[in-house]
Amino acid sequence: MSAFTSPARRLRGACAAGVRVVRKGWAIAAARYAIVLAIALLAYAVVLLLAGKNPLQAYSDTFSFTLGSWYGFSEVVVRMIPLLLTAIAVALPSKLGLINVGGEGQLYMGAWLATWGAITFTGLPAAVFIPLLIVLGFVGGGVWAAVAGFFRARGLVNETITTLLMNYVSPLIVGFFVYGTWRSREVGASAFPQSAAFPEAARLPRFFDTRIHLGLVLALILLLLFWFVLEKTAWGLKMRAIGGNPEAARRLGVRLGLYIIVAMFVAGGIAGLAGMAEVSALHGRLRAGFSPGYGFTGFLISWLAGGSPLGILTMSFVLAVVFSAGSLLQITQGVPFAAVNVLMALILFVVLMKPRLLGRLS
Amino acid sequence: MVVLRGITKRFPAVLANDQVDLDLHPGEVHALLGENGAGKSTLMKILYGFYSADCGEIKLQGDPVHIHSPHDARRLGIGMVFQTFTLIPAMTVAENAALYLPDLPPVVDTRRVAKQISSLGEKYGIQVSHRFPVRDLPIGDQQKVEILKLLVGRARVLIFDEATRVLAPHEIEGLFDIFERLKGDGYAIVFITHKMREVLACADRITVMRRGRIAGTLTRSEATESALVALMFGDAIPQEATSAPLPPAAPGSALLALRSVNTRPQGASTPLRDVCLEISQGEIVGVAGVSGNGQRELVDVILGLLPCAAGKRLLHGEDATSWSAGQIRASGVGFVPEDPLGMAVVPWMTLSQNAALGDVAAYARRGGLSLGWDRVRQDIVTSFAALEFEPLSLYAPVRTFSGGQLQRAVLARELGRRPRLLVASYPTRGLDVRSAAAARRVLVQLRNSGGGVLLVSEDLDELFSLSDRLVVLRRGRIVGAFRPGEVDRHEIGHLMTDSEVGE
Amino acid sequence: MNWAFFGGLLSGTIMYGVPLLYTTLGEVIGQRAGMVNLGLEGILLIGASVGFAVSIETGNPWLGVGAAALAGALFNLVYAFLVATRRANQLASGLTVMFFGMGISAMVGRAYVGGGIAGLARYQVPGVAALPWVTRTMFNYDLLVYLAVPVAVLVWWVLYRTRWGLSLRAVGENPSAAFAAGRRISALKYQAALACGFLAGIAGAHLSVALARTWTEGMTGGRGFVAVALVIFSKWHPLRAIVGALLFGGAVTLQLQLQAMGAGVSPFLLNMIPYLLTLGVLLVWSGARRFAAPGALGRVYSGEE
């Protein structure tokens, strides 16, 4: 697949650079993000107007719902958890110049394998069950992504195409089980295609009387680890070298193939954790189509943040608000949920259109 | 024909052209001579519209013209052959030429274009097979396609930027023959070079540039080597890069041995065929050849980047056929590539980060959880001092370095590890005279202290003056092995290109 | 396994392959100009929703197809603007278009969810009347199906036999050489993007107006990404794209046929066939592609410095 990899390598280089927020001046970085958001929101207001909705009403609803109350805020944080994880799942490979567009599929596979564990080993105590689910979620997503990493490392197919196509396969696998062998036979529940309920011990603990769950702790630890490994360790140096110049890294004796496969495995694993956390903590069952596109949004977040951990944290929050707004507006204003895609597109568009506003591109 | 007046061009760091005046006449070969970085290429790229001058004026046949793009230049009959060809490798010769036809109809008949090329080619003695994609042609032919492309596009002023760099000696003579024929038809030719010998062989008028200014213009009859050297370097004439006579090589034990190595063909690369090569302690083995004849593969095999399909690779007396690139590097093999920015460093990383990458295992602390940055910095600074290089900033991204600085940084990193064997491919390509001399000095130092060096180069002068032994690569085979005193450059040149004479 | 099965398979292969062929041809043009456009998925959705909406409003499906083609072309200008004018990263620009397409099509199509139309008029393939009766009804196609292969040939002819095609390929192979030859890089990229969006718009409309005859959110099901994969499979050649599109169309049809026959396999597993097949085909054909890709594919052209 080298024909496609060599141009793609350039493409990846540009992507890894992304929008790199200049280290100096938090205020400047924050101001830049604010300007981008303001422009995007303004443009989206026009879109809403054209669709015959009242943008002022929509925005004020969104604001009071998401940030105006403790409950609303906690729901935003709940939304943020899968976004944080899928964003790390994109940011990590991007440091090696790999483009993982398969967060969505990896998320489903993590949820799938974790569900298998949850409905198979029903008798375990929570102290064993939760770590088991974490491992299963990680392995499910990780193996799924490692396949793409393997093809890439062997020079067969480039990981962008593989992960994109595999995104369409994993929801079908979940669908196969949820409509098939795993379909719950409980009275009332069976009308809706979903797995049996997780045992109580297989539910991730929640905090503060809200739906905020253990996934948040996992996500923050992983974000910290992501930063530490890349910035401080010998492996991080090698990974960044692969991203910066694979040819030189190869000549300096770095084992490219191994690093590519491992990085994709870990990244997929992290996305898998997002899926595991969603089903275990929130739904308590596996449902077909439970993710409203967290994987793709994770890509967007990582890209907007330029792979910087603090950027990921900030942008995850912003996008979580956007998502909450999406479901809210669907209810209050009758705007289809998919319309949040327009807002996300506008944010990306503004960033891409005005590279100088957010720092240097590629 | 063309008059340049007061051309000034400033780049962020340097004043590339400072009030340059130049006259070009039809039927004349005008050589632009100067060190790398003297501003020759910049000046011609301004004439060709690739850059726009900050101030100054260009007149063509007496009329002031404004050239904002190569397109403008082409319309005015100015064409340029670049150092790296601007051909499209995947397209055929005819398609490449068609792109430059000024009156190309909306529906392209490539056969008609091909006919046009052949008739032009016959007229000026430029024969190229036009049916194949350009990437299948040898380098010398690719250059001919470049020239044809310009002639087809009705250029009257032809600019050649370091056109001889990739050619074998007799191919260079062939190019000069083409110059003669073109001159006869009233073409004006600009020939940019830093090689004295070539200037004296082909130019009618010689302009010497130094640090962005014109140092002087001589006609062929006035020009002598010493006069030109004086103009090129002013007072600061550098000592001949390889002045020190080499002591005869002391035969040491073999560091590297390749035994009938073959590699698998991959795409357009040239696989190695039955290559046998030994490098011992305290010798420099030069590899001559037209680029693309297996040099890259040879280097990659030695560094462990390319597997041997057949044959054996021995390092330090041990069978290293199945060693990985990392193992080979750890065993004391260093490399200096032709394109340090693309092959040896990570451009946006700092010098110290790149230095650490040279030997991550040695600098890792606590099992890799952290890195000993103090030692990295100390080592690279020590190495710079030992090689008598001017120190560079440790904290600047290496892509901000000039070509010479970058090559010194790579040399310092590689030599700092005290390699037993150094693989240097085109280590002086694109460097200014001083940097090139420094690089050569380092290679000789390593050899004198008992290291082995493989030197791949396209500069026959460099190979002849540095090598203890010389091998010639052609189409992946070693077709000759000599001591430099035993052969002359023409014999080598013919071996390199498989031409009938002298073999 | 009888006449009906094979006839249906063949007829469906063609039917489902056609929209993918139009999309792939569009992407071939774009990639030949050096642009990888992952936004095709979005363009397809725009084409499908606009095509369907206009068909319903005007009652004329051909107006729908025309509007979809136009909408696709104009919409792809967003991509061209980002890539050619702002010199932005192609991947992110493509995803921008994808997100736009997903969102806007949902908003445009919202009022028409559940609506149905008659679709494009169909004409029987000449000569099938002589075949056994079961197949007779199967080889009825609309005009867009008949035009698909001629369009592929046209794209090939334009790319390889015209000045415009030569310039376009030069831009994709080596923009600085094309610039040196006096070509206007940005203008050519815009033109390629327009052509690409135009064809993808037609493909989207064909999906909703001729095939499904209805609109559902996200109905393109990743065909935009499959098209990107098929461009690689077809080695950036318009005529080989026909094979790729038929292969995918065949996989889709086979899956539908098996479901209709009540084969004891879950529809979810059958639905995977097209994606796995696409991936498998890429894996098997991965060699020998070294020089097929345009030289400057995906690269940001930084201009004349």
Side-chain angles (χ1 to χ4, degrees), chain C residues 135-213:
Chain C
T135 50
R136 248 173 251 165
T137 50
M138 290 173 175
F139 292 93
N140 276 334
Y141 297 123
D142 57 80
L143 207 54
L144 283 175
V145 175
Y146 291 108
L147 281 176
V149 170
V151 165
V153 175
L154 180 73
V155 169
W156 169 82
W157 184 80
V158 166
L159 281 178
Y160 289 92
R161 289 289 181 269
T162 68
R163 185 173 62 195
W164 186 74
L166 183 70
S167 311
L168 197 75
R169 285 186 295 135
V171 168
E173 292 285 350
N174 183 346
S176 37
F179 180 70
R183 298 309 194 266
R184 285 154 61 209
I185 312 292
S186 284
L188 280 161
K189 286 197 165 179
Y190 270 94
Q191 290 158 11
L194 276 175
C196 171
F198 187 85
L199 288 171
I202 291 180
H206 194 254
L207 279 174
S208 65
V209 176
L211 275 179
R213 294 184 214 165

Side-chain angles (χ1 to χ4, degrees), chain A residues 247-267:
Chain A
E247 192 59 38
R250 206 163 73 91
R251 274 156 201 281
L252 289 168
V254 178
R255 296 170 68 184
L256 290 194
L258 183 72
Y259 271 87
I260 287 174
I261 294 173
V262 170
M264 285 301 283
F265 176 78
V266 173

